[in-house]
Each structure stands twice: as C-alpha cells, then as structure tokens.
Amino acid sequence: MKILVTGSNGLVGSYVVQQLLEEGHQVFATSRTDDRSAFKNPRYRFVQMDFTDPYALDAAFEAIQPDVVVHSGAMSKPDDCETDQQEAYKINTVGTVQLLLNAAACESFFIFLSTDFVFNGKEGMHKESDPADPISYYGRTKLEAEEAVQEYGYPWAIVRTVFVYGKPLYGRDCFVTMIAKKLRNQEPYKVVNDQERTPTYAGDLAKGIAAIIEKKVTGIFHLCGADVLSPYGMAMKAAAYLGMEAPLLEPVATASLKALARRPLKSGLDISRAKEVLGYAPLSFSEGLAKTLGN
C-alpha cells in the first residue's frame, strides 16, 4: 500500500515510517523540515510539505494518491499551544481538516494521532467511550480535530496515546533520553511526582498503528503502555537502569511548576480494546527502557 505519513521527523512519525517500511509498504514521509532520516529503502520517499498549506497538500496528494494517511504531525507542546493559540489551532485543528479534505478526494483510510490530554484526568484509565473534557488549549485543538475526523466520509481511526518515549531514530531527545543526559552530566532537574501516566514505547505505538492498517479496523483506539507511572517514577527507573544515584532529581508537585498549560493528573488510558481487536501487547516500561537506553 501507498502510505503518507505526516510529522515524519518527530519521534512517533519516525517509528511509524520504520515499522511500515519493515512491513513492505511504500511510505511517503512528509515534514515541514528537511529529511533527517537515514532510511535507505527503495520503498521510502520523502516529501517536504507543510500540511497547513492547501496548495502543497493538493500537489502532494495528486502525485501520491495514498491508500492510507497516518497523521502524526502536530504542535504537541502544551505550553507552546497556550502561548500561541492561533498557531496551535492552525496546525492541530485546521491542518487536520485540510488533510481530511485531500484524503477524501483519494478515498484514503485516515489515521489520526491524538492524545490523553483530551481528558480532564480526574478519574484515570480512560476508555475510548469516556467523555472528553480537555483542560488545556492543546487538548481542545486535538479534540476538535478528532471531531472532524469522525465526520470523515471514508474509513478512519483515531489513536490516542500517552507520554511516548524511545531511542530517537533522529531528531531531538525524548523525556527518558533527556533524563539520562542530565543524570550523566549531574544536572539538577525538577520532575513532577503527582501525575499518573501510562508511558508508551514508540515501537509499540508504531506496531499498533500498523495493525490497524493491516486489519482495516476503524474507530477510536487507545495505544499506550500498561504500567502506571509518574514522570518522577520513570526518571528514577531510568537512573536505576543506568546504575546511577539521582540526588539531583527533585520530585515536585505539578502546581509548583506554574506551567502555562494545565496537565491532567490521572491521564492513563485503558488498552483493553486494542488488546482484543488488534492483539496489542505493549512492552513493560522496564523493557521499553532497555530498548531506549541500551546499546
């Protein structure tokens, strides 16, 4: 199949591209910036494209005619979304609508990457059917994009995920690799200890998306890890894996950081549907940590 992937220079996008190439698909990776990958696969093509530009989208879709679109591109830093709400809305909501319009012309299967931040985090371990109630602007833009996807006239799937980590194939660090660098450099760092998350190994997420494509299943899926951890708990597990003391990692309450965007405190997701329908079987956090920090 011909599959177009947005946000291919990001952590999620890069793992999705790699997984789809391994499964034999023809992959058209797209990003606003130059190709940062080192893929040497004859079925790999890179197209520099800003998905908020309708003219660029028209040209790309006319040339590619994708069978599947995996939309992982986003403005994903919650504080940045609070600071520049106009840009966040343009990228996360309007950009998704533009992609949907072009995908419809090709009758593409549309897969949208969303977030646990569409929930308020009061209860935790949210199911796909739980009512959304975002408490940040980032969450609102992603929820509005979800609503647009659900009105798409052809097959679609929404994938919500949580706190993705993994060894960067290229590009910037994830939380775990950033913490590892701070530990090695003996840098002080404050890490929140009152948020419950179900961190997601990027390779698991990519396999789950590939399974959705292979099985041609539709609807909303929660794809994340099974372990419930705070960011501080993740950081301490990283320190233990590296065999290092972590006296400079300071556990703090979310409120003390005075972040611009509110974070859901209990944002874990229930993955029962993904296990049943997709055969989704995520690694434990310890296993994912070894893949992220191991040689």
Side-chain angles (χ1 to χ4, degrees), residues 231-269:
Y232 180 73
M234 295 178 226
M236 293 305 291
K237 282 184 175 290
Y241 176 82
L242 295 170
M244 301 177 72
E245 297 293 327
L248 298 180
L249 291 183
E250 179 186 352
V252 297
T254 299
S256 71
L257 294 179
K258 297 187 170 117
L260 292 173
R262 293 176 63 197
R263 268 73 169 172
L265 295 182
K266 294 183 179 180
S267 69
L269 299 179

Side-chain angles (χ1 to χ4, degrees), residues 158-170:
I158 291 169
V159 173
R160 296 182 183 135
T161 193
V162 187
F163 211 106
V164 182
Y165 69 95
K167 182 180 292 185
L169 302 181
Y170 41 86

Side-chain angles (χ1 to χ4, degrees), residues 109-112 128 146 149-150 154-160 212 216-223 273 277-278:
F109 182 11
F110 195 94
I111 301 174
F112 175 62
E128 288 86 350
E146 282 192 14
V149 172
Q150 291 178 67
Y154 298 95
W156 58 266
I158 291 169
V159 173
R160 296 182 183 135
I212 289 172
K216 297 183 174 65
V217 289
T218 58
I220 302 174
F221 290 91
H222 287 174
L223 299 182
R273 180 171 191 250
V277 177
L278 303 175

Side-chain angles (χ1 to χ4, degrees), residues 1 3 15-27 41 43 203 206-215:
M1 278 189 279
I3 304 177
Y15 271 79
V16 168
V17 168
Q18 178 176 256
Q19 182 67 35
L20 295 177
L21 288 172
E22 288 178 1
E23 300 204 4
H25 297 292
Q26 188 174 3
V27 181
N41 190 305
R43 285 176 277 99
K207 288 178 181 177
I209 290 167
I212 289 172
I213 294 169
E214 179 187 355
K215 295 175 182 292

Side-chain angles (χ1 to χ4, degrees), residues 75 78-90 137:
M75 184 171 174
D79 288 351
D80 289 350
C81 291
E82 294 292 334
T83 302
D84 193 346
Q85 296 189 359
Q86 183 175 355
E87 186 71 2
Y89 188 76
K90 174 186 173 184
Y137 195 75

Side-chain angles (χ1 to χ4, degrees), residues 124-143:
M125 302 311 293
H126 301 283
K127 297 178 182 288
E128 288 86 350
S129 57
D130 288 349
D133 180 27
I135 58 175
S136 66
Y137 195 75
Y138 167 61
R140 285 171 55 194
T141 62
K142 296 296 278 187
L143 178 59

